[in-house]
Amino acid sequence: MTVHTQVICTLCGCACDDLEITTENGRIVKAKFACSNAYERLTCFQQVRSYNPVITVNGQRREASLEAALSKAAEILAAAKYPLLYGWSNTSSEAIRVGIELAEELGGVIDSTSSVCHGPGIEAAHEVGESTCTLGEVRDRADLIIYWGCNPTQAHMRHMSRYSSHSKGRYREGRKDRKVIMVDVRNSLSSRTADQLIQLTAGKDFEFINALRLAIRDEALEADEVAGVPSEKIEELADLMVNCEFGIIFFGVGLTHSSGRDENVAAAISLVRDLNMRTKFLIMPMRGHHNVTGTNKVMTWQTGYPFAVDFSHGYPRYNPGETSAVDLLSRGECDAALIVASDPIAHMPHQAAKKLSEIPMVLLEPIPSATGLLADVHIPVAVVGIECTGTIYRMDGVPLLTKKLIDPPKNCHPDTEVLSDLLKRVKRLKGAS
Amino acid sequence: MAELLIKNGAVYDPANRVEGDITDIAIRDGTIVESVGSGAQIIDAASMLVMAGGVDIHAHIAGAKVNAGRLMRPEDHFRDFEAKTSAARSGVGHSVPSIFTTGYRYARMGYTTVFEPATPPLETRHTHEELNDLPMLDTGCFPLFGNNSMIMEYLAAGKLEECAGYVAWMLHATKGYALKIVNPGGVEAWGWGKNVTDYDEQVPRYNITPREIVRGLCKVNKMLRLPHTIHLHPNNLGKPGNYETSIETLDSVRDLAEGKRSIHLTHIQFTGYGGRNWQSVSSEAPEIAKYVNTHDHVTLDMGQIIFTSTTTMTADGPFQFLLHTMSGNKWMNTDVEAETGSGIVPFVYKRSNSAHAVMWAIGLEAALLITDPWKIYLTTDHPNAGPFTEYPRIIAWLMSNKARSRVIAKLPRNARKRINLETVDRELTLSEIATMTRAATADALSLTKKGHLGVGADADVAVYPFKPREVDPSAEYKKVRRAFRRAALVVKAGEIVVKDGEVIKSFSGRTYWAKPHIEADVLEQVATELKSKFKKYYTVEFENYPISEDYLDHAFAVQGA
Amino acid sequence: MEAILVTGTSIDQARGKEHGKLSSQYKASCATLHMTEEDMHTLGVKPGQSVRVTSPHGSVVLTAVKTKEPHAGIVFIPTGPWANQLTGPHTGGTGMPHFKGFKVEIQPAPTEKALDLKEIVKISYGKKKS
């Protein structure tokens, strides 16, 4: 029996790195300090995971050798004119680096799940920038915390106690030293921990943010209410923001998914920027998957662009709406796909998922998924942070090197190895040197 | 490994006092040797200029801040891209190039070593991931220490030994090369939205001043016998009248030098301003030069302005916010817990703008008025004052009064009244250029096998397509500029990697890091103490903070003097 | 009855998927429509009964669940293949489809039951082009 300490969790963007995992005979038997989401994952995945590659021919799914699976996968990709390489948010940055080289070699598109998650926030950053920090700054200094369009008690369970409202910092004793506001269209469970819930009309975040921008400049609001919130309340919130010592807005997909999308985030970033004329104020997206931030970082340093990178002209091109996965698939532009560490059949709108299901598809994924039901080649891989090591990036950009706790099953290898193998085979098939 | 002989080149190797002699360079196993056998591959340099590969001491090329700059500026990439070749990966970027393109563009100019001068320790693993990807170059990075909470607390309490122990632990943990200090105390103040403006001002909530931080770290630098001096971006950067802060900062560590160097002040252009505001801003480069010419404990680099669209990015959070409010341009900011911060703002320097015109003159004046080229290095603080791809333009300005005059003639008249460049007719020689771009920078970094072509040196060699004996650089400065843009041949670690300005072979270089001079048991004690208080300062565990040597693809530890 | 639909992650969905997407836990968490007691009353359904939800992009049968979050007129479906039968692919040039805040029609569906993941996949997808 081995007790692994300071283990980095590879579930959500919190990347809590204080987990204590006990392993015995190659199985996880105990997971201390893990939130209930992570606990579920750590204790379940070994029961449900896939062990052997599967090749589907004429609708018949058959187990295959790794060699056969890699060979077929390489064939599919090398034969494609415009393949989509999608997912990446649940694997290491080392794997993503190989993925980008593969996409460049194939002349295809590489896109991460950020295009259906926080992509609009990144698009906003292109326009207006972003004023942010690492999580320790919030823990130590923040006396006003606003959670906007997110649900931390459910989606980022230890965020509040480790990094934000309920954490203890160098200059803040804890919850009582902070004012906590929830801004959302719904009264979620998280709002019960807040001092105040501001409930907006759905789809009206943009209007509300702009009203706030006026209010923080002491401009009078002509309307009686904006987005369903009375103007007095808006002015009160503005006062709170202007008079705090250090404020932060954590925002979730409530902003990026609803109508307005990138404009919502651009408005929120602009509000925060405006506040910096009067006090210290920052903003941070609540990134979902443990390495979705990593996908943007790696793609940006290698290609200049954070996601939806097209190599069809031999150099990186970027235009969300044109080169992003849902759009490419909806328009039926891609003729093959490599899906890594994600489940687009489950998470994309069904018209896009339908188009994806119609093209030859290779999947690298450890556990059964909707995409797995439709993949032509499914290669199960080692789980990063449990069965293999790899670098991940926390939601605030802090890099962490995850640990290997147990050996993966015999036929399951790290994504880096599988992708490197695929790259070699593809180069050979395409006759490149 | 193969043997290579570069014959008949006009060699400029100031470290070994070779000034244009037609000499052969013999290479075996990646090192410069006395001679090679008859089986060696022969390259005829045909009287062309031969120098050691360029060594850039200060360019922001990798890490969290640089990457945030790339992310914020897709428009910078749309207009400048490079397609994949059989030898090179594709990429983009004018002022903030992607990592592969960065390496290739440096290599094409004959550079073989480039250091990233500012990395936040907590995120330095990110910097190393990027440096692992950086092709063609040897490299290293300088972690930021000037706003570190624990350092300020140690120094405020007079605990110099403990401070040195902590810094030593941090160098091991980050695999960094030198102690970088940016706006000491000011970036911690920016954590509360404030700044410091006086060298002797108290940092908010800390019992310490910028002067004490700088002196403390200077002492620590000596105790740890690090291969480079402290590398400083002083307070009040970018503020008219700030030349006084620069001189005050330089002078504040004079007594600590003891006959050696004690400080490198970076991008002097940004901190050499006279005047009281942006209408009256003037060049005080002559004052700076006077100080440097009479004091041997200091070195500087230029931070030369290029009239172009570029991206400013520094760890100086409060200054970057100020630049955003002045320019109205978009703004990125990241404060890093217990350590530092950063800010990024795109910027355009215009020849028609009087303030920019004055700034342009300052960098050149500093380089020309400082008499010893071993004290002032050629940089643009890439990309802050301009992209590194414009170094050849700067070389032309430095070597040709005619080239400078053509620009001066187009500057706004009222700017011309506030600069001194018109009265400077010194033209630097190739020897001096070689010094400022390779010999001196390698020397400042104690990289004894770099920056020169003596026997035993690393075989990093650049051959430029112009013949010094046939070209007058002063009159024919355009030839000089073109030649330095596209090397005829570049050898890296004994392999030919660039030919006629094109990358023909990719190469993965070393990442240098400095091993501090400290007893093993002292380091262990530091680690134990640190472990007990780590969680107070950080949101990561003590065990997960350090970067192991094998994380770097090709780590190379350098022991201090 | 008309309502505004929000799709997104939920704690049960997050935990459900750790049991594998083919699991009954995943279906139990995702093939659900969360509505307030008030809305259920207006519609005439009880918790556990089937409802059919239709949007401009598609239609799906779900199990009604009483939500603990009191806000009439807004319904929630955890993200997954059931929710995505209703979401549209148009991204407005942003790459991001519309996952939250659009109108849907809800009807009781007493004779129908929510489909398994495999059934949904079979009906909606999987007709490979040759």
Side-chain angles (χ1 to χ4, degrees), chain A residues 6 17 93 97 104 126 130 132 134 136 139 141 245 280 297 301-302 304 314 391 393-394 403, chain B residues 67 71 84 89-90 99 129 133 190 192 205 330-331 333 335 337 536 539 541 543-544 551:
Chain A
Q6 277 94 42
D17 72 333
S93 56
R97 283 150 81 187
E104 188 188 58
H126 298 320
E130 185 182 64
T132 190
T134 64
R139 185 193 72 177
R141 305 187 202 242
E245 205 174 24
K280 180 76 180 177
K297 299 261 176 207
W301 87 60
Q302 285 209 345
T391 307
Y393 287 80
R394 198 168 73 177
K403 298 185 163 105
Chain B
N67 214 33
L71 184 132
K84 169 173 151 48
R89 301 283 301 273
S90 65
I99 201 70
E129 271 219 280
D133 272 347
W190 179 241
W192 299 110
R205 301 188 197 218
K330 53 191 171 178
W331 166 59
N333 175 92
D335 299 336
E337 63 209 58
K536 177 179 166 207
T539 52
E541 295 285 318
E543 200 186 285
N544 292 324
Y551 193 78

Side-chain angles (χ1 to χ4, degrees), chain A residues 104 233 328 331 340 376 381 428:
Chain A
E104 188 188 58
K233 246 196 162 162
L328 287 168
R331 293 193 305 263
V340 180
D376 293 87
V381 286
R428 237 191 341 246

Side-chain angles (χ1 to χ4, degrees), chain B residues 21-243:
Chain B
D21 305 358
I22 301 289
T23 325
D24 298 345
I25 309 284
I27 293 167
R28 186 191 311 123
D29 292 347
T31 305
I32 294 182
V33 294
E34 265 308 332
S35 62
V36 285
S38 53
Q41 181 186 0
I42 297 179
I43 305 277
D44 183 7
S47 306
M48 287 191 286
L49 174 64
V50 175
M51 290 185 179
V55 177
D56 195 347
I57 196 172
H58 187 116
H60 299 275
I61 53 170
K65 173 183 84 248
V66 177
N67 214 33
R70 291 181 187 117
L71 184 132
M72 186 169 69
R73 302 214 68 199
E75 72 276 10
D76 182 82
H77 310 326
F78 292 151
R79 63 197 191 124
D80 195 351
F81 50 83
E82 294 188 8
K84 169 173 151 48
T85 70
S86 57
R89 301 283 301 273
S90 65
V92 300
H94 166 69
S95 66
V96 214
S98 53
I99 201 70
F100 304 126
T101 306
T102 301
Y104 304 143
R105 287 185 178 176
Y106 262 111
R108 287 187 204 125
M109 294 193 314
Y111 272 79
T112 50
T113 305
V114 179
F115 274 73
E116 161 55 55
T119 174
L122 178 62
E123 298 182 313
T124 294
R125 189 179 291 281
H126 176 167
T127 310
H128 284 298
E129 271 219 280
E130 292 200 31
L131 294 179
N132 280 343
D133 272 347
L134 178 71
M136 317 306 291
L137 304 171
D138 289 335
T139 186
C141 57
F142 305 161
L144 291 148
F145 288 104
N147 287 280
N148 181 297
S149 298
M150 287 197 239
I151 285 175
M152 289 192 289
E153 284 170 8
Y154 280 130
L155 293 176
K159 293 182 170 166
L160 193 63
E161 295 277 339
E162 286 92 329
C163 187
Y166 171 65
V167 172
W169 186 89
M170 283 288 261
L171 283 170
H172 272 277
T174 58
K175 297 295 177 291
Y177 197 81
L179 306 190
K180 178 69 185 287
I181 303 169
V182 170
N183 187 5
V187 186
E188 160 53 42
W190 179 241
W192 299 110
K194 300 181 168 44
N195 195 5
V196 296
T197 52
D198 193 283
Y199 204 41
D200 294 298
E201 185 181 332
Q202 288 281 343
V203 177
R205 301 188 197 218
Y206 284 86
N207 187 20
I208 196 157
T209 65
R211 182 189 298 271
E212 289 163 344
I213 296 171
V214 174
R215 281 181 62 80
L217 285 171
C218 187
K219 289 178 190 165
V220 162
N221 203 72
K222 276 172 59 184
M223 288 160 76
L224 299 178
R225 302 192 200 167
L226 298 178
H228 182 43
T229 56
I230 49 171
H231 195 108
L232 202 77
H233 155 148
N235 309 107
N236 292 326
L237 181 125
K239 203 167 153 181
N242 62 9
Y243 84 99

Side-chain angles (χ1 to χ4, degrees), chain A residues 54-373:
Chain A
V54 171
I55 296 181
T56 303
V57 179
N58 294 327
Q60 293 295 317
R61 301 178 78 235
R62 278 196 199 96
E63 273 191 7
S65 68
L66 187 56
E67 170 58 38
L70 288 166
S71 178
K72 181 100 209 269
E75 260 173 48
I76 288 173
L77 294 174
K81 289 208 181 87
Y82 193 44
L84 170 67
L85 284 67
Y86 178 81
W88 307 102
S89 302
N90 281 320
T91 188
S92 64
S93 56
E94 290 84 351
I96 296 164
R97 283 150 81 187
V98 185
I100 295 170
E101 194 174 352
L102 185 56
E104 188 188 58
E105 182 63 40
L106 293 167
V109 177
I110 184 162
D111 194 9
S112 83
T113 63
S114 31
S115 73
V116 296
C117 195
H118 274 276
I122 297 173
E123 289 158 35
H126 298 320
E127 297 282 335
V128 293
E130 185 182 64
S131 166
T132 190
C133 61
T134 64
L135 287 163
E137 288 288 270
V138 178
R139 185 193 72 177
D140 285 346
R141 305 187 202 242
D143 61 337
L144 174 63
I145 299 178
I146 302 177
Y147 297 103
W148 197 307
C150 61
N151 193 1
T153 55
Q154 294 215 330
H156 293 94
M157 297 181 79
R158 293 180 73 201
H159 190 276
M160 289 170 149
S161 57
R162 271 176 71 81
Y163 307 127
S164 56
S165 55
H166 290 69
S167 66
K168 179 172 151 64
R170 279 194 281 154
Y171 307 105
R172 305 291 174 208
E173 274 300 310
R175 179 64 180 87
K176 60 179 169 68
D177 266 357
R178 311 182 201 269
K179 196 106 183 145
V180 180
I181 314 277
M182 202 71 63
V183 178
D184 206 345
V185 303
R186 52 189 191 136
N187 187 347
S188 69
L189 275 169
S190 299
S191 55
R192 280 164 218 190
T193 65
D195 291 309
Q196 196 187 0
L197 164 69
I198 296 181
Q199 196 164 352
L200 309 179
T201 311
K204 296 285 178 190
D205 294 86
F206 183 78
E207 289 85 341
F208 183 75
I209 295 169
N210 279 290
L212 257 182
R213 284 184 73 189
L214 284 170
I216 61 155
R217 288 163 202 254
D218 296 325
E219 305 250 14
L221 294 174
E222 294 286 324
D224 289 329
E225 55 99 36
V226 181
V229 182
S231 297
E232 299 84 56
K233 246 196 162 162
I234 299 176
E235 278 158 12
E236 266 168 40
L237 178 59
D239 275 339
L240 210 58
M241 293 171 99
V242 161
N243 291 309
C244 75
E245 205 174 24
F246 183 116
I248 182 148
I249 295 176
F250 287 108
F251 70 95
V253 292
L255 271 190
T256 62
H257 278 186
S258 52
S259 115
R261 300 183 183 98
D262 55 307
E263 296 294 342
N264 292 341
V265 186
I269 293 172
S270 302
L271 167 65
V272 166
R273 183 199 59 210
D274 294 347
L275 280 162
N276 274 280
M277 297 299 289
R278 307 198 52 183
T279 185
K280 180 76 180 177
F281 225 98
L282 304 168
I283 187 167
M284 191 188 305
M286 298 284 268
R287 305 308 298 269
H289 296 296
H290 66 89
N291 203 24
V292 64
T293 304
T295 68
N296 303 131
K297 299 261 176 207
V298 180
M299 289 194 206
T300 301
W301 87 60
Q302 285 209 345
T303 74
Y305 304 115
F307 61 97
V309 183
D310 171 308
F311 284 105
S312 62
H313 290 215
Y315 59 89
R317 289 165 66 238
Y318 168 73
N319 192 10
E322 184 196 339
T323 58
S324 37
V326 168
D327 297 279
L328 287 168
L329 289 168
S330 304
R331 293 193 305 263
E333 286 192 26
C334 295
D335 59 346
L338 169 65
I339 309 296
V340 180
S342 94
D343 189 8
I345 295 289
H347 294 140
M348 283 189 180
H350 83 274
Q351 278 136 304
K354 185 163 197 283
K355 288 277 164 56
L356 176 60
S357 72
E358 290 167 4
I359 56 178
M361 206 203 318
V362 177
L363 174 68
L364 266 52
E365 169 66 58
I367 66 169
S369 63
T371 309
L373 290 173

